[in-house]
Amino acid sequence: MATLTAKASTARAATPVAWSGWATPYLFMAPYLVLFCVFVLAPAIYGVWVSLHDWDFLLEGRPFVGLDNYTALFDPASAVYADFWMSMRATGLFTLLSVPFLVVLPLGIALLLNRSFRGRTFFRGLFFAPYVLGVAVVCLMWRLLLDPNLGLVDWLLGTDIAWTTSLPWGWVALVGVTVWWTLGFNGVIYLAGMQDIPRDLYDAAKVDGAGRWAEFRHVTLPGLRPVMLFVITTTILASANMFGQSYLLTQGAPGGETRTAIVYILDQGLGQYKMGSASAMSYVLTLALIVVSVINFRLFRGRS
Amino acid sequence: MRRYTVLVALAVVFVAPLLWALGTSLKSQTEATRVPPTVWPAEPTARAYGTLFEGTTQTPVLRWFANSLIAATGQMLLVLVVSSLAAYALARLEFRGKRMMFGVIVGTLLVPGFVFLIPAFLIVDALGWLDSLTALIVPGAAGAFGVFFLRQFFLGLPRELDEAALMEGANHWHIFLRITLPLSKPALATLAVLSFLSNWNDFIWPIFVIFSPDYFTLPPGLSILQGAYTIDYPVIMAGAVLASVPVLILFALTQRYVIEGISRSGLKG
């Protein structure tokens, strides 16, 4: 086989092939590259430019203001300071509250589903099903389920809680619904990771007389380390990106307490047309996320 | 046995809300507002669906359904074409700038998507695409996931077939069409489903680039419905069911592929 491959590649080099000159790779790349440059690369760069201007979508003049949009975010006297940091706090709180559940609960479910048994694929699909629904459907459903007068949840619990309009219940609702909705995704990633742990490690643990718990602690958990890093990083990113649930389920209530940074930024930019300021905010949020990701990577490397 | 008890209990938590939404869409207006609430309709009626499909000029639900279908299918086809071409070049061809291009494309997977939202809106506006289906189809096809996903799959295909075809005088276009694509059906199907799902469910982008009800898709349409039929819960839930049924069917049919595709592509990065 090796000689055949070697011969074939010399043949390729020697045979002039029609329509595969130097331009061929670029022709293959071109359609995607055009889309990528216009809708990903250009916005990424253009956004920086916008953030340096007093950019009002509805007005003609867009004066250059340098870093003013950025410094305003750190100046307690500015108009945006209080609301921006309240929304950053909401994003941080949501991330802090949701990530542990979204990291631990799916792991438990993946452990339950990992051994082979009848109906495994069925259950796997069941837990994943809510994730297939969009945020609009999920929030509409839960708004009604959590309604204090007509909702099934208060009725089942025998309580009278305003889940979406009071604190701390707004956070319970946001985190609960998000966990219900997205837990299957992380579960699937864990399951794939568990399949990659060599079987003989478990056999060796058995020989050493390890019980279920010891097996989990000394084989499964270390084996899942890279997967955990992936799950934690993507979950933090997803939680910090949270938009729909805050916008549709609690609508920021009460008093903007549950309004996340993305909701605030998009409202400033696309609702109030203050696009320069909103762009600056999104870069500050991005920077914060990069810092969190780096710390996350460091912690994981440090412990191994 | 204990495993099944736990699994079934959990399954109820995951499925009951969905069944309840379906049940509510089949309730009469009076039954939906009855206290204590009923889980399943005592006297099922299709009235809510009648009202929903009738629509108004502000809530043309069937039109939203058609828009969702056109946008999701259109974007899916575009993603498949442009991603597979680019992935072929990145997996099979050598050229100047390849490493850098791949690095930049994959790098954007790590940047939170909202950063681009406002400038992307401005660019779509400059192109004159605001308030059109084009805005729902084209910009989203620039995502890096499809290229990355297919490249990983193409790298795993045996090279011997390509080499043999090249010796017989085929060019890369033939190899791409006659060898690579036919061998990649599972990956293409997975990408198709994932792309369809994400476009069908997208909420954030359509609410900002679409202004007239005629061009809405179902997710933003649902939030209008909620405003228009505030107290008619069966109609609102019927809308939710309408938006969910196609993707749930699609998912049920392709479950194995999709779950496998997600776990593999996510991890092999």
Side-chain angles (χ1 to χ4, degrees):
Chain A
M1 207 47 151
T3 49
L4 180 80
T5 321
K7 241 192 258 163
S9 43
T10 41
R12 176 172 60 177
T15 329
V17 176
W19 211 81
S20 76
W22 66 270
T24 307
Y26 299 101
L27 289 172
F28 272 93
M29 289 297 296
Y32 179 75
L33 276 187
V34 170
L35 287 178
F36 182 79
C37 288
V38 176
F39 297 109
V40 179
L41 215 52
I45 297 162
Y46 192 39
V48 178
W49 178 250
V50 172
S51 78
L52 301 174
H53 293 74
D54 188 0
W55 198 291
D56 188 321
F57 184 63
L58 295 181
L59 296 180
E60 274 303 308
R62 280 147 199 176
F64 180 81
V65 293
L67 294 175
D68 281 6
N69 285 324
Y70 292 90
T71 51
L73 297 178
F74 297 95
D75 172 12
S78 78
V80 288
Y81 179 85
D83 283 343
F84 175 65
W85 290 105
M86 182 163 79
S87 74
M88 287 290 273
R89 190 179 144 262
T91 292
L93 201 57
F94 176 77
T95 309
L96 221 57
L97 293 172
S98 63
V99 170
F101 288 106
L102 285 168
V103 168
V104 175
L105 288 180
L107 181 61
I109 288 191
L111 284 170
L112 271 169
L113 289 171
N114 190 32
R115 315 257 158 122
S116 57
F117 61 93
R118 274 180 73 87
R120 196 179 100 130
T121 317
F122 172 75
F123 279 109
R124 222 165 62 144
L126 220 58
F127 295 126
F128 196 79
Y131 189 73
V132 175
L133 305 177
V135 69
V137 168
V138 166
C139 290
L140 211 59
M141 247 171 62
W142 280 98
R143 250 189 100 78
L144 197 48
L145 277 164
L146 295 172
D147 187 285
N149 299 315
L150 304 168
L152 212 54
V153 175
D154 267 334
W155 181 72
L156 283 174
L157 298 175
T159 51
D160 195 11
I161 296 169
W163 291 99
T164 55
T165 48
S166 70
L167 290 180
W169 304 112
W171 290 117
V172 176
L174 286 172
V175 171
V177 169
T178 306
V179 169
W180 177 85
W181 179 35
T182 61
L183 160 152
F185 184 83
N186 285 351
V188 164
I189 308 274
Y190 279 130
L191 271 173
M194 286 175 188
Q195 253 123 66
D196 290 344
I197 301 174
R199 275 259 36 113
D200 31 322
L201 286 180
Y202 287 102
D203 297 338
K206 279 227 176 62
V207 172
D208 290 344
R212 278 269 177 85
W213 173 244
E215 204 180 271
F216 173 71
R217 267 202 56 199
H218 298 296
V219 182
T220 310
L221 219 48
L224 284 180
R225 181 177 281 276
V227 180
M228 289 274 253
L229 179 61
F230 175 83
V231 167
I232 293 175
T233 309
T234 51
T235 308
I236 290 177
L237 266 181
S239 289
N241 260 307
M242 196 269 265
F243 171 83
Q245 298 95 304
S246 164
Y247 186 81
L248 294 167
L249 195 67
T250 62
Q251 299 172 336
E257 288 275 352
T258 61
R259 180 172 60 183
T260 59
I262 309 283
V263 177
Y264 181 65
I265 291 172
L266 293 179
D267 179 59
Q268 285 292 299
L270 299 167
Q272 316 285 322
Y273 303 117
K274 290 176 191 145
M275 294 186 163
S277 173
S279 295
M281 290 175 199
S282 59
Y283 285 105
V284 170
L285 178 56
T286 306
L287 203 67
L289 280 178
I290 291 172
V291 171
V292 172
S293 292
V294 169
I295 294 173
N296 181 21
F297 268 94
R298 284 270 161 86
L299 281 178
F300 254 78
R301 257 213 323 238
R303 271 197 287 148
S304 54
Chain B
M1 221 44 237
R2 235 184 45 213
R3 175 190 311 273
Y4 280 106
T5 319
V6 179
L7 281 173
V8 169
L10 278 169
V12 170
V13 173
F14 278 81
V15 175
L18 304 178
L19 289 178
W20 173 85
L22 178 65
T24 303
S25 74
L26 297 169
K27 286 176 188 171
S28 65
Q29 168 75 309
T30 36
E31 192 181 350
T33 49
R34 195 176 294 162
V35 181
T38 48
V39 179
W40 196 250
E43 313 105 39
T45 161
R47 180 212 47 113
Y49 290 91
T51 311
L52 184 74
F53 292 146
E54 230 169 68
T56 65
T57 47
Q58 279 311 299
T59 62
V61 177
L62 288 178
R63 174 106 203 217
W64 296 341
F65 187 86
N67 289 340
S68 277
L69 210 57
I70 294 167
T73 311
Q75 185 169 92
M76 174 189 88
L77 294 174
L78 190 61
V79 165
L80 287 179
V81 172
V82 299
S83 309
S84 60
L85 284 167
Y88 181 82
L90 291 169
R92 281 292 197 258
L93 303 171
E94 283 309 323
F95 56 95
R96 270 179 76 104
K98 177 167 125 169
R99 285 174 66 94
M100 194 199 70
M101 278 186 207
F102 184 65
V104 173
I105 291 170
V106 170
T108 62
L109 279 174
L110 305 173
V111 182
F114 61 81
V115 187
F116 308 132
L117 216 89
I118 288 167
F121 172 92
L122 292 171
I123 285 170
V124 167
D125 175 41
L127 290 167
W129 290 358
L130 286 185
D131 211 20
S132 74
L133 287 184
T134 316
L136 297 179
I137 295 173
V138 180
F145 175 76
V147 174
F148 175 72
F149 178 73
L150 289 181
R151 172 190 176 266
Q152 300 305 94
F153 192 86
F154 291 171
L155 282 176
L157 295 175
R159 258 175 188 271
E160 285 77 11
L161 291 168
D162 301 16
E163 314 279 2
L166 276 172
M167 277 208 311
E168 281 167 24
N171 62 36
H172 281 292
W173 177 244
H174 289 133
I175 295 173
F176 172 71
L177 281 182
R178 307 239 172 89
I179 299 175
T180 312
L181 288 188
L183 285 175
S184 306
K185 275 181 197 148
L188 294 168
T190 307
L191 180 60
V193 173
L194 290 177
S195 159
F196 188 92
L197 284 178
S198 77
N199 187 284
W200 180 275
N201 286 328
D202 194 12
F203 171 73
I204 186 165
W205 180 248
I207 63 167
F208 288 118
V209 294
I210 303 294
F211 314 120
S212 34
D214 272 355
Y215 293 113
F216 269 167
T217 51
L218 281 168
L222 286 175
S223 54
I224 299 191
L225 263 188
Q226 205 188 352
Y229 295 94
T230 324
I231 37 159
D232 199 338
Y233 294 112
V235 173
I236 298 168
M237 283 304 117
V241 171
L242 182 71
S244 314
V245 164
V247 285
L248 282 175
I249 291 175
L250 184 67
F251 174 65
L253 294 175
T254 57
Q255 204 220 101
R256 279 164 193 268
Y257 272 150
V258 176
I259 290 186
E260 201 61 28
I262 287 175
S263 52
R264 291 298 150 193
S265 62
L267 289 170
K268 301 292 185 226

